[in-house]
Amino acid sequence: MATPPDFYGLGENPFDHSLSSRLPASSGNAIFNLANGAALSLHRDVGTLGALPFEIMHIILQQLDFSTLARLASVNKGMKNVIASLPKLCTLLNCAPDAMRAISASKVGGLITCADMYEKLCQPSCDECGASGTHFHLLACCRLCHGCLTVNLRYRALRPLQAAEQYALPRGLVFGLPALVVPKYSELGRSVRRKRREKQVNTTGWRLFDQQEIMRQSVLIHGSVGAVEKAASKRFSDLFEKFRLKLSRNRRAGMTYRHHRVVVHDYAAFPRHPIKHHTPPGVESAYSVSTLLPWFDLSTKDFGHPVLCNACQRSGMPLRQCYYFASAAEQHIERFGKITDGFHVKTT
């Protein structure tokens, strides 16, 4: 199989299961970009912000989320010039334009600040295990390796009814919370999915919520984590008791239910039964709230796919210096020597 396009840069990738295969077509009139040759007049038409020093203005604005920055940029030309001159925003647009498109397509710009995402762009390691992080979780705003993204249940997002049932929340409250909306596949991603006959659940159009945010809302209502767990357990017990009584009545009436041509006598025969919402989310929910994110090396000003060298780590080098770009593997070997018995050995 051919190497996916821009694999080393961690950009748009139709072979990936994350949002990187669901990016919309590039737009030529992005509000964050200045036209070629546009002159910066940073203290013009910016209101009271014009009284602040240039650096202070940048520090303040870079703490805002992307949706707020987009609204500010649409106020007037002077404010647009100020927003387009933010150093961290410019770095994100230059190094991770596809990740920015994924944020826009999934409508989570109001949940991620410019400074937080820039911090993750400059961080090569996974927040959980320290391995090379290739994915950016949009709801949790953290960098993850593929293993932690798919195995750790904390990063699997919840659908509205799952959030309401598992955390004992009113459904109306859940539907009013900020959510990620999974965009549709790009034309290339849809073509690859059709040819490879992918078995992953199609999550297009799903509204997904972060587990920690749902827990926070539930604690505000019930008072503590223990009270949340008790209320959720009671809700599950009541549902299961109703299901058991219904199944018992149907058995006495001589009724059976067929699911995938197999006669069963459990809740698997009721795909729409509320008890289904108490099962853990599938791995597709983790893929649908993450996107590929390159690593920006502050020392070299390069960006690409981060790789952790275990040989450098064993030799006692600082962890930050143990990473290199996947496209520069040969240069890394030439610099530190070939790996023998888990250590670099330079040849004279």
Side-chain angles (χ1 to χ4, degrees):
M1 183 179 297
T3 301
D6 200 19
F7 173 77
Y8 289 131
L10 291 183
E12 182 176 5
N13 186 351
F15 295 86
D16 194 70
H17 295 297
S18 70
L19 294 177
S20 295
S21 61
R22 297 173 175 267
L23 301 181
S26 300
S27 176
N29 54 355
I31 61 174
F32 288 142
N33 294 338
L34 283 174
N36 291 333
L40 286 177
S41 180
L42 299 178
H43 292 278
R44 178 183 177 185
D45 298 331
V46 294
T48 56
L49 283 176
L52 297 176
F54 184 55
E55 294 78 7
I56 301 299
M57 191 187 306
H58 278 177
I59 293 174
I60 294 174
L61 293 176
Q62 287 173 159
Q63 301 300 321
L64 301 177
D65 59 78
F66 292 118
S67 295
T68 303
L69 290 176
R71 290 195 297 269
L72 284 175
S74 63
V75 171
N76 54 40
K77 187 174 181 180
M79 187 60 71
K80 179 180 179 181
N81 290 348
V82 172
I83 299 300
S85 68
L86 298 178
K88 293 183 179 180
L89 180 60
C90 292
T91 303
L92 287 169
L93 291 172
N94 292 330
C95 300
D98 294 329
M100 298 291 287
R101 287 164 58 197
I103 292 174
S104 175
S106 55
K107 303 177 182 179
V108 290
L111 304 178
I112 306 172
T113 67
C114 178
D116 289 343
M117 187 172 178
Y118 177 81
E119 179 184 353
K120 299 305 175 184
L121 179 71
C122 301
Q123 171 189 324
S125 59
C126 171
D127 286 333
E128 287 289 332
C129 65
S132 56
T134 55
H135 288 77
F136 178 64
H137 197 284
L138 300 183
L139 294 179
C141 194
C142 60
R143 182 185 279 274
L144 300 170
C145 64
H146 184 267
C148 292
L149 175 68
T150 55
V151 174
N152 196 329
L153 296 180
R154 180 263 174 273
Y155 296 109
R156 297 191 181 183
L158 300 171
R159 301 186 71 179
L161 294 182
Q162 287 177 327
E165 292 295 330
Q166 295 182 22
Y167 291 87
L169 286 174
R171 295 186 179 183
L173 174 64
V174 173
F175 279 98
L177 296 176
L180 181 147
V181 180
V182 182
K184 62 182 180 181
Y185 284 96
S186 63
E187 293 185 5
L188 185 56
R190 186 163 49 250
S191 175
V192 170
R193 177 184 170 88
R194 190 184 306 115
K195 290 180 181 179
R196 299 177 66 184
R197 297 182 180 180
E198 294 287 351
K199 296 182 179 180
Q200 180 184 341
V201 178
N202 188 357
T203 60
T204 300
W206 283 16
R207 289 173 56 85
L208 297 173
F209 303 87
D210 183 40
Q211 292 189 32
Q212 284 194 352
E213 176 61 22
I214 295 297
M215 173 60 81
R216 189 180 70 84
Q217 293 292 334
S218 187
V219 169
L220 290 177
I221 293 178
H222 297 285
S224 65
V225 176
V228 171
E229 295 175 350
K230 184 177 180 180
S233 177
K234 185 178 184 303
R235 180 174 291 196
F236 175 77
S237 299
D238 294 343
L239 283 174
F240 189 81
E241 182 64 21
K242 291 179 181 179
F243 163 76
R244 190 187 65 80
L245 293 175
K246 181 177 180 179
L247 190 61
S248 178
R249 289 195 300 268
N250 292 339
R251 283 177 177 173
R252 286 197 298 269
M255 299 174 61
T256 58
Y257 296 84
R258 294 183 178 273
H259 187 63
H260 296 299
R261 300 183 182 180
V262 178
V263 179
V264 294
H265 298 285
D266 59 8
Y267 67 85
F270 302 89
R272 296 185 181 274
H273 197 278
I275 204 172
K276 279 284 190 178
H277 303 311
H278 286 268
T279 57
V283 69
E284 65 275 358
S285 65
Y287 281 126
S288 299
V289 295
S290 61
T291 182
L292 296 174
L293 183 70
W295 164 46
F296 177 64
D297 190 353
L298 291 171
S299 60
T300 63
K301 305 301 180 183
D302 293 330
F303 62 93
H305 186 298
V307 177
L308 175 63
C309 179
N310 293 325
C312 292
Q313 191 176 14
R314 292 192 190 99
S315 63
M317 292 179 59
L319 184 60
R320 194 79 175 188
Q321 301 179 14
C322 297
Y323 286 91
Y324 63 92
F325 295 114
S327 57
E330 295 182 359
Q331 292 87 332
H332 181 79
I333 295 298
E334 291 179 359
R335 179 183 176 185
F336 295 99
K338 294 183 179 180
I339 299 177
T340 304
D341 296 332
F343 293 90
H344 284 293
V345 177
K346 285 190 176 182
T347 56
T348 57

